[in-house]
DNA sequence: ATATATTTTCATTAATTATTGAAAATTCAG
DNA sequence: CTGAATTTTCAATAATTAATGAAAATATAT
């Protein structure tokens, strides 16, 4: 396969995958483009490569910076801004985990704690069905939360260290 | 908090969370409704509870059955079909993992292997940037694939067993 | 077999989400 | 400062995705 063809295929697939995970398709395509780029790219490069508007490019570039998946890089004697992706796939994954945990898991944990005690007879079948389910989910969410924290804060810990080395290099 | 109020809050939050993960909001709400229900519910119950149309209810019920998150249950002397959610939160999670792996990770692994060897000089900077990134992602995807298989096939394995017990029972 | 209850399908419509592009704001070299 | 280059914003528009509801298909009791 030719390089350009392979890149295109990668960018498209990455975009589709991201869409299925509730992430803006263009954002993922920009990320993919920068992941496989040999050098940092300017907004104009990105616009041209993906055939997207300036506004769209700008918006998604900023979002990617917010997720800490890409960084600005300055080229001497050039007023344009250039962007490069974090290439360490583990950092990419932990940054995504961190963002999603903060934006989604944390709010859900809050909601679960708010709804976890309901008025009325705890022996009532309806109330029991509800509270036992909520408690199970709370336990799961609590454990997921801790596990993610551990992974994010220290990838080389007792738990993940063993197999992480296998494919980190 | 009153039970109905708590249920409503749970159903809404579950729906919002699902939306952020690329899952149809209504599908998640039906799932949530059945998760906290004391008894199996009919299509009409679901339509009434969530104020949705018959077509929408039917479509998402079938999708949930496809994901193995809910089951049909028959009530003697009643022609209607009733539905109940799988209440073991671990089974819920492994079923979701299985479906997403099959639908998303597996196709991505296939794409990565298709694009992993590109024509041209392997010393070329552009080609190197591309191939090294693809190989890293392949390693990650391969490991994720194996790990998911292990979790899905045997939750009480050497790896997860230790902390899974903490919140399973 | 027939009538009736129930489920499924799918073209239409509605709601949501993403994209554009031009105007406004900002940056920076001279 | 000034003015050109660049980035950012955002209202309008387009594209995508979800929901409706009535018709068709299916299932079941008698």
């Amino acid at each position: 396969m030719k390089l350009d063809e392979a890149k295109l295929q990668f960018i498209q697939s990455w975009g589709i995958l991201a869409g299925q995970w509730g992430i803006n398709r263009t954002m993922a395509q920009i990320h993919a483009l920068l992941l496989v780029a040999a050098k940092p790219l300017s907004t104009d490069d990105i616009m041209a490569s993906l055939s997207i508007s300036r506004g769209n490019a700008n918006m998604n570039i900023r979002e990617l910076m917010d997720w800490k998946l890409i960084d600005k890089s300055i080229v001497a004697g050039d007023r344009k801004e250039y962007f490069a992706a974090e290439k360490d796939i583990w950092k990419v994954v932990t940054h995504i985990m961190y963002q999603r945990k903060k934006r989604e898991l944390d709010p859900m944990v809050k909601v679960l704690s708010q709804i976890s005690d309901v008025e009325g007879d705890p022996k009532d079948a309806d109330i029991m069905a509800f509270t036992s389910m909520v408690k199970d989910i709370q336990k799961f969410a609590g454990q997921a939360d801790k596990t993610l924290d551990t992974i994010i804060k220290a990838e080389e810990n007792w738990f993940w260290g063993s197999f992480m080395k296998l494919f980190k290099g």
Side-chain angles (χ1 to χ4, degrees), chain A:
Chain A
M1 194 181 270
K2 292 221 169 60
L3 179 62
D4 289 349
E5 208 183 327
K7 277 191 183 182
L8 202 69
Q9 175 77 60
F10 175 71
I11 291 164
Q12 279 182 326
S13 301
W14 202 248
I16 290 167
L17 185 69
Q20 289 163 332
W21 284 81
I23 289 159
N24 183 294
R25 209 178 84 260
T26 303
M27 178 173 150
Q29 288 182 333
I30 295 173
H31 185 218
L33 177 65
L34 293 175
L35 271 178
V36 297
K39 292 177 177 184
L41 302 180
S42 70
T43 300
D44 289 287
D45 295 335
I46 293 166
M47 287 166 60
S49 293
L50 302 177
S51 306
I52 60 175
S53 70
R54 186 172 302 282
N56 195 11
N58 183 265
M59 189 179 99
N60 287 111
I61 286 169
R62 278 182 304 111
E63 185 78 358
L64 281 165
M65 287 200 291
D66 199 41
W67 282 63
K68 306 233 187 295
L69 296 176
I70 68 174
D71 278 309
K72 220 177 269 198
S73 81
I74 290 161
V75 169
D78 195 336
R79 230 152 111 175
K80 278 207 187 85
E81 294 176 340
Y82 290 79
F83 304 94
E86 167 61 61
K87 301 244 175 172
D88 181 335
I89 195 72
W90 270 106
K91 284 194 183 165
V92 171
V93 170
T94 54
H95 286 154
I96 292 171
M97 282 178 173
Y98 173 73
Q99 292 295 336
R100 299 207 81 145
K101 174 176 133 48
K102 195 174 63 173
R103 294 169 193 211
E104 294 152 21
L105 183 59
D106 292 355
M108 181 47 91
V109 168
K110 202 173 274 179
V111 168
L112 288 170
S113 106
Q114 279 167 5
I115 66 179
S116 61
D117 80 307
V118 293
E119 297 166 24
D121 178 11
K123 294 272 172 59
D124 178 84
D126 287 343
I127 290 177
M128 260 175 62
F130 182 79
T131 54
S132 80
M133 181 50 57
V134 169
K135 277 197 187 101
D136 284 352
I137 297 171
Q138 269 186 310
K139 277 193 228 167
F140 175 78
Q143 192 59 44
D145 193 67
K146 275 187 205 161
T147 306
L148 286 174
D149 269 344
T150 308
I151 295 168
I152 291 164
K153 282 184 190 143
E155 66 178 51
E156 293 292 341
N157 63 83
W158 65 274
F159 191 72
W160 292 88
S162 52
F163 80 75
M164 207 163 261
K165 281 173 196 146
L166 293 174
F167 57 110
K168 244 218 109 164

